[in-house]
Amino acid sequence: MAGERTSVTIEDAALESAAAPLLDKLVADAVASKVGAQDATLWGAEAESEASIRLSWTSLHKSSRPLIGEIEALRTELRSEGVDRVVLAGMGGSSLAPEVITGTEGVALTVLDTTDPGQVADALAGDLDRTVIVVSSKSGTTVETDSHRRIFAKAFADAGIDAARRIVVVTDPGSPLAELGEAEGYRKVFLADPHVGGRYSALTAFGLVPAGLAGADVARLLDQAAGVADTLTADSADNPALRLAAALGAAHADGAEKVVLADTGSGITGLGDWAEQLIAESTGKQGTGLLPVVVEGHTAPGFAGGGSDATPVAVGPASGEAKVAVTGPLGAQFLLWEFAVAIAGRLLGINPFDQPDVEAAKKAARSLLDDPAALTGSAEPSAVLGSVEVYGGAGTTGEGSLTDVLREFLDSAPEGGYLAVQAYLDRLDDASASLLRPELAKRTGLQTTFGWGPRFLHSTGQYHKGGHPNGVFLQLTGTPEEDLDVPDRPYTLGQLQRAQALGDGQVLAEGGRPVLRLHLTDRAAGLAELMRAVQELAS
């Protein structure tokens, strides 16, 4: 993969023709070189203030070099002490890139981007004697990550292990987490470049530290990015970032506001999940944007055929179904997609560096946590069907079988809309939930996304509230077998998970988005019943 050429090929002749004038304009306006020069004026006067402190990602292939030695020195130290199991507590931009990097290199990293008590308990059940936890948060106040830190610190102490020696911090300078790390004497505090937003942070300490400690070759990653940097800043029609941005912009202008991503043999594990946050959070605002739909392969429902509302993009070699194909090694792809999405933001007329609608769900969740009565709720399900409790919003009666309930809800989707499945469950033990995506896409004809909650709140959650207002939202929650206390906090993980689901559903409903919540009183049985109900929908 190291010698693989980085390229963007527009396979569809009509799309290439539509993209050509946009590409010519981007070249004429010297947009690529201006992005490389960190010109904050490219996205208009309203975005200039934010852009001026968010463009350092363009030079990370150079500025992140000193991290290589620091990471390797710490890894060597830890290994000499018998500490070789790395757990990462981080959300969104703090976890997605490290997961792609380590997955692609085949090195072990336990990622905690969840509030599900079962999944966290499984991570705790690993060998604590061999464990270091990387607590990664740009703001230093991320509630999920702070909860993980508290839980692991107590577990270390209970096991007679000096917790401070097993906690590594990655955060921005001056954050509360940076101050805490210094005060508590944590093993190491890595300070990331504060002029890089979370979703553009793959090549900062947020991406490199956990991946490097786990054993990934982060120097090679930076070399791959450096190898394509000059190409991405060139004002040329051959610039792959300009080609990708022009293709996405032209498709959106023609009504294809969805970007369907399928891996076609790239050799990269999970790039779509990382690109999902970058695309959705950067562009999904002001009632517009590009909705990323990550699918299981180039023959998956939603990719094959695509539809007039979607652009199928192959990550890897071109397939017969793709309209665009993007190739290149991982480090190069990180930088390529960052350039392309930032430039696509200019074409869409939005600021690609803010996330104005993300905070709403966080505030709603905090309000519920502060009001235990509201959290436990007096609302009765509109129906109880086997192991599934039905909580429908406006327009959903809950009458009939589970298939009838689903059909009634799905009929509320507008033509050309999309379905978002949001699973507030255990990403490992309840992994079968993800099989619902292709089944629903096949039977409804809707572009269908799947997200694990609350991790998607730090990703597509912005688009759901700020993007094209044509989504319908299927929430899945479940009763945990056992709950976990969060030390020195008045809530458990299960309560936090529930508050996040209910809070986001509340914000979506207030915004006029249809929401159906299905609560699984027995997760395994409920998922099986739900799959059967989906399969009974007319295809």
Side-chain angles (χ1 to χ4, degrees), residues 381-529:
S382 55
V384 178
L385 304 170
S387 301
V388 181
E389 295 178 348
V390 178
Y391 295 86
T396 305
T397 63
E399 295 177 355
S401 67
L402 188 53
T403 299
D404 294 329
V405 169
L406 286 170
R407 185 179 296 113
E408 181 185 29
F409 169 67
L410 293 167
D411 284 346
S412 68
E415 186 175 353
Y418 69 95
L419 167 64
V421 182
Q422 306 171 337
Y424 289 85
L425 300 169
D426 184 325
R427 186 151 66 105
L428 303 179
D429 288 351
D430 301 322
S432 64
S434 65
L435 300 176
L436 292 166
R437 195 217 73 81
E439 292 292 334
L440 283 162
K442 180 168 64 176
R443 283 165 172 76
T444 65
L446 293 169
Q447 287 294 342
T448 302
T449 67
F450 181 91
W452 293 103
R455 110 179 190 160
F456 76 84
L457 293 176
H458 299 256
S459 176
T460 48
Q462 166 61 42
Y463 185 101
H464 294 161
K465 302 167 195 73
H468 290 276
N470 56 1
V472 296
F473 301 88
L474 177 61
Q475 283 193 340
L476 306 179
T477 57
T479 303
E481 287 188 14
E482 293 185 18
D483 209 343
L484 274 178
D485 289 329
V486 180
D488 300 318
R489 284 291 179 265
Y491 50 80
T492 65
L493 274 186
Q495 289 170 329
L496 175 57
Q497 183 183 44
R498 180 180 176 85
Q500 290 174 313
L502 296 182
D504 192 47
Q506 176 184 312
V507 173
L508 288 168
E510 289 171 353
R513 272 69 163 173
V515 180
L516 172 66
R517 181 166 71 92
L518 301 179
H519 182 77
L520 314 177
T521 53
D522 178 313
R523 293 189 180 193
L527 285 172
E529 291 163 21

Side-chain angles (χ1 to χ4, degrees), residues 61-113:
H61 53 285
K62 299 175 184 176
S63 60
S64 286
R65 292 278 168 185
L67 283 169
I68 298 170
E70 291 184 57
I71 294 167
E72 185 54 37
L74 178 57
R75 181 170 184 264
T76 300
E77 274 183 32
L78 290 167
R79 296 231 159 191
S80 72
E81 298 168 14
V83 178
D84 59 0
R85 175 179 180 254
V86 182
V87 175
L88 170 60
M91 302 298 297
S94 298
S95 63
L96 292 167
E99 190 164 44
V100 176
I101 297 165
T102 53
T104 299
E105 295 215 11
V107 297
L109 177 68
T110 299
V111 176
L112 285 182
D113 54 1

Side-chain angles (χ1 to χ4, degrees), residues 324-336:
V324 180
V326 184
T327 64
L330 179 54
Q333 289 239 30
F334 279 149
L335 198 56
L336 162 58

Side-chain angles (χ1 to χ4, degrees), residues 117-459:
Q119 193 173 332
V120 176
D122 284 347
L124 278 175
D127 190 346
L128 287 178
D129 285 338
R130 297 173 36 239
T131 298
V132 61
I133 183 168
V134 180
V135 181
S136 187
S137 168
K138 181 174 175 62
S139 69
T141 59
T142 308
V143 65
E144 301 95 333
T145 304
D146 180 65
S147 299
H148 300 149
R149 178 190 65 80
R150 291 171 182 276
I151 289 168
F152 267 79
K154 183 177 187 300
F156 283 133
D158 290 348
I161 297 168
D162 181 357
R165 297 287 294 169
R166 298 297 186 86
I167 298 176
V168 172
V169 164
V170 184
T171 190
D172 273 5
S175 78
L177 183 57
E179 295 172 0
L180 179 70
E182 294 295 339
E184 294 290 327
Y186 288 163
R187 182 63 175 260
K188 177 82 173 175
V189 176
F190 288 92
L191 299 178
D193 188 331
H195 293 160
V196 179
R199 55 190 175 275
Y200 291 83
S201 67
L203 299 177
T204 69
F206 289 105
L208 302 182
V209 168
L213 291 179
D217 187 343
V218 296
R220 180 172 59 196
L221 200 70
L222 293 175
D223 288 344
Q224 291 167 349
V228 77
D230 287 346
T231 302
L232 299 179
T233 55
D235 296 312
S236 162
D238 293 328
N239 180 329
L242 293 184
R243 291 180 64 78
L244 180 54
L248 297 178
H252 183 275
D254 195 38
E257 79 264 18
K258 305 173 186 74
V259 181
V260 190
L261 301 166
D263 192 281
T264 56
S266 68
I268 299 171
T269 300
L271 186 72
D273 291 333
W274 170 82
E276 181 180 56
Q277 181 195 25
L278 177 69
I279 297 167
E281 207 168 56
S282 295
T283 71
K285 56 200 72 170
Q286 298 175 28
T288 190
L290 296 162
L291 176 69
V293 182
V294 182
V295 302
E296 302 75 21
H298 68 94
T299 60
F303 192 83
S308 61
D309 62 336
T311 306
V313 176
V315 178
S319 72
E321 296 84 3
K323 291 187 177 181
V324 180
V326 184
T327 64
L330 179 54
Q333 289 239 30
F334 279 149
L335 198 56
L336 162 58
W337 281 95
E338 288 167 353
F339 265 85
V341 170
I343 293 167
R346 173 182 165 91
L347 295 176
L348 268 62
I350 51 88
N351 173 7
F353 306 113
D354 69 350
Q355 48 282 333
D357 301 294
V358 166
E359 189 62 27
K362 295 180 184 178
K363 287 181 179 177
R366 285 195 293 267
S367 295
L368 287 165
L369 284 175
D370 291 340
D371 184 358
L375 185 57
T376 53
S378 57
E380 293 293 326
S382 55
V384 178
L385 304 170
S387 301
V388 181
E389 295 178 348
V390 178
Y391 295 86
T396 305
T397 63
E399 295 177 355
S401 67
L402 188 53
T403 299
D404 294 329
V405 169
L406 286 170
R407 185 179 296 113
E408 181 185 29
F409 169 67
L410 293 167
D411 284 346
S412 68
E415 186 175 353
Y418 69 95
L419 167 64
V421 182
Q422 306 171 337
Y424 289 85
L425 300 169
D426 184 325
R427 186 151 66 105
L428 303 179
D429 288 351
D430 301 322
S432 64
S434 65
L435 300 176
L436 292 166
R437 195 217 73 81
E439 292 292 334
L440 283 162
K442 180 168 64 176
R443 283 165 172 76
T444 65
L446 293 169
Q447 287 294 342
T448 302
T449 67
F450 181 91
W452 293 103
R455 110 179 190 160
F456 76 84
L457 293 176
H458 299 256
S459 176

